Amino acid sequence: PKAASTTSARSSLTGSRPTDSTRAKASSASASPTAAGRDSPDRCGTGRNGCGHPDETPSIGDRSTVPPQIPPAGEDYRRGLPNVTVFKGKATFVGPKTLDTGTGETITAERIVIAAGGHPQMLDVPGLDQPDPDHGIHTNDSIMRLTDLPERIIIVGGGYIAAEFANVFGGLGSAVTWIQRSERLLRSQDETISTRYTELAAAKYDLRLGARPIKAEQVGDEVQLTCASAEGEFMVSAPVVLVAIGRVPYANDLDVKAAGVAQHDDGRIKVDSYQQTSVEGIFALGDISSDFQLKHVANREAKTVKYNLAHPESMMSTDHRVVPFAVFSHPQIASFGATEQQLKAAGAKYLVKVQDYGDVAYGWAMEDKTGIVKLLADPSTRQLLGAHIMGHEASMLIQPLIQGAQFNQTVDQIATEQYWIHPALTEVIENALLGLEPNGD
């Protein structure tokens, strides 16, 4: 074997562009004094971010293709950057600020950025413990590269990824069987939203609540799952199974402990508000360190790291006070802040208002029967504690509430100190703000 050499660099970047929970990929390691200072982590890599490069991600027609860690166009772009050296391999830490690049070369750096994201979590169930796209066992990393639209698909899991792909495949015409171990989908959501969404999903899909797979086996061209529930065991089969039960950070795969980098119990890298780890000069961002697992959060953290690498004497912090997210299911869901169940558990006093889309002109014209806006506010400060929306374009409707919360406006200021276009759907936000009522406490 070729002896490993050691190369010194002023800074090193491990990982790909920061990613959210549905698009995160592991990445090669790059050594670069300026890589973290580029315009944006979206600069290139998928061909969908306005950089002008073609999208060379493996086509949707190749089910057996394992997606590359960086798509070819993105890799070519990085190789063409000045002051950047790309090491195409599986990088691991082998000592303080020392990386084995997986290419036979070891590098060191005074400053290192870790942005390697995470990978799908699998089940401790025979046949579902490893992804196997060639035999129909998929994760979100491979599911969009199917050769053909499956007539039937089984989705295991009840979170955002499961909800979004149920919408994708159900909308395209696949019969969706959805298996969830608890009695509600999207359990981390406000209970009002979660309960109503579960009811809608049960009417649309073959939803099996309170069930879990205990065995998977290949039967002809299909995967047959044996599942356990309170009513007993049952079997379901389909040519495609999507395991969507969560994602795991890549920190252990990188062996960050060898570099002295501290981790949370769930494996995430511990960082402070400056995105710096327990080792001075080593930064981390995105899914490998964040508990939000959101692309827009990773983007914000990347800006923080970029600035702090260039200004080590006057570093800035990442503002995580108001972090919104959306689930691109049907209907859409968008949220930020506390849920009502969290406020109840904390014994907090709060105001609550649930406003139906159909109560305003636009919603009435749409004949909307399911869209709702739920707001929670502090009765003393009159500031928003949480906002939860389910319905048409929820991910856009929530934006004025995000802005109001970020700038510490009261609900009254948000509602009354600006114009609300009539008869736009945003009037449902205005009415919800005006209608906040005491919870009876």
Side-chain angles (χ1 to χ4, degrees):
K2 180 181 177 181
S5 62
T6 300
T7 302
S8 178
R10 283 194 287 128
S11 66
S12 176
L13 176 70
T14 70
S16 66
R17 56 192 177 87
T19 53
D20 63 34
S21 60
T22 67
R23 300 169 181 87
K25 304 287 186 291
S27 177
S28 305
S30 305
S32 167
T34 59
R38 295 296 166 195
D39 294 341
S40 164
D42 275 338
R43 172 72 176 173
C44 188
T46 65
R48 302 187 183 97
N49 296 307
C51 63
H53 290 86
D55 184 357
E56 295 185 25
T57 302
S59 71
I60 197 169
D62 188 356
R63 183 173 91 171
S64 65
T65 298
V66 176
Q69 295 170 331
I70 297 178
E75 182 179 331
D76 291 343
Y77 168 76
R78 287 163 172 82
R79 290 186 183 278
L81 291 172
N83 305 315
V84 172
T85 302
V86 176
F87 297 91
K88 192 171 183 178
K90 186 180 185 301
T92 54
F93 284 95
V94 293
K97 295 187 177 180
T98 306
L99 276 165
D100 179 346
T101 65
T103 65
E105 187 169 359
T106 300
I107 60 174
T108 63
E110 296 175 3
R111 293 182 295 176
I112 296 174
V113 177
I114 306 173
H119 60 86
Q121 181 178 352
M122 299 302 292
L123 288 160
D124 187 19
V125 171
L128 297 177
D129 52 347
Q130 293 290 333
D132 188 0
D134 287 331
H135 296 93
I137 308 299
H138 289 268
T139 68
N140 61 287
D141 282 348
S142 63
I143 191 66
M144 292 300 287
R145 295 169 177 83
L146 292 170
T147 303
D148 302 298
L149 179 69
E151 182 180 344
R152 300 185 311 284
I153 183 172
I154 299 170
I155 298 176
V156 180
Y160 310 153
I161 297 173
E164 291 180 342
F165 278 113
N167 180 35
V168 169
F169 282 95
L172 290 173
S174 298
V176 177
T177 298
W178 195 347
I179 299 171
Q180 162 70 338
R181 64 180 179 179
S182 70
E183 294 302 323
R184 283 189 292 117
L185 300 170
L186 301 175
R187 289 184 301 160
S188 63
Q189 289 282 326
D190 185 273
E191 190 169 343
T192 301
I193 302 293
S194 174
T195 299
R196 294 199 186 192
Y197 176 77
T198 301
E199 292 170 356
L200 293 174
K204 186 182 299 185
Y205 311 115
D206 178 14
L207 181 59
R208 310 293 184 95
L209 298 172
R212 58 184 178 85
I214 56 175
K215 185 173 67 172
E217 53 189 341
Q218 197 79 25
V219 178
D221 293 332
E222 297 196 344
V223 179
Q224 180 175 280
L225 300 187
T226 302
C227 302
S229 70
E231 290 74 32
E233 293 186 1
F234 64 89
M235 290 186 292
V236 291
S237 62
V240 173
V241 174
L242 170 64
V243 179
I245 62 171
R247 295 184 68 88
V248 181
Y250 265 116
N252 290 333
D253 302 75
L254 289 171
D255 196 11
V256 297
K257 288 183 179 179
V261 173
Q263 295 173 260
H264 293 281
D265 291 340
D266 62 3
R268 286 178 299 117
I269 293 173
K270 290 183 178 181
V271 295
D272 60 19
S273 62
Y274 305 112
Q275 301 301 136
Q276 191 161 243
T277 70
S278 57
V279 178
E280 185 177 358
I282 299 183
F283 296 81
L285 63 96
D287 290 4
I288 202 163
S289 58
S290 174
D291 56 354
F292 294 106
Q293 294 198 352
L294 296 165
K295 181 65 166 67
H296 47 279
V297 173
N299 288 349
R300 173 67 65 87
E301 292 173 351
K303 292 178 182 178
T304 299
V305 172
K306 171 183 174 179
Y307 181 89
N308 292 343
L309 288 172
H311 304 86
E313 303 304 321
S314 58
M315 294 195 294
M316 65 181 287
S317 60
T318 304
D319 186 351
H320 289 120
R321 288 177 302 153
V322 182
V323 177
F325 59 86
V327 184
F328 292 92
S329 51
H330 185 75
Q332 282 187 20
I333 294 169
S335 176
F336 71 81
T339 64
E340 187 170 10
Q341 58 265 33
Q342 288 172 334
L343 294 175
K344 284 182 178 179
K349 291 185 180 297
Y350 61 93
L351 307 177
V352 59
K353 174 63 179 179
V354 177
Q355 189 80 47
D356 290 340
Y357 274 35
D359 292 338
V360 299
Y362 198 106
W364 173 82
M366 291 172 60
E367 298 185 342
D368 190 290
K369 306 295 184 184
T370 58
I372 59 170
V373 175
K374 181 174 182 177
L375 302 183
L376 301 156
D378 186 309
S380 299
T381 66
R382 299 287 292 173
Q383 291 181 335
L384 283 170
L385 297 174
H388 311 278
I389 304 176
M390 181 181 74
H392 180 66
E393 300 293 6
S395 60
M396 291 194 289
L397 281 181
I398 201 169
Q399 198 64 44
L401 297 172
I402 298 168
Q403 182 170 325
Q406 181 68 33
F407 293 104
N408 298 313
Q409 290 183 295
T410 66
V411 296
D412 310 290
Q413 289 173 320
I414 303 171
T416 64
E417 294 186 3
Q418 62 180 314
Y419 284 102
W420 297 85
I421 295 173
H422 176 79
L425 188 55
T426 45
E427 286 186 313
V428 73
I429 301 296
E430 178 192 19
N431 283 12
L433 289 164
L434 293 171
L436 282 164
E437 299 173 356
N439 61 3
D441 297 334

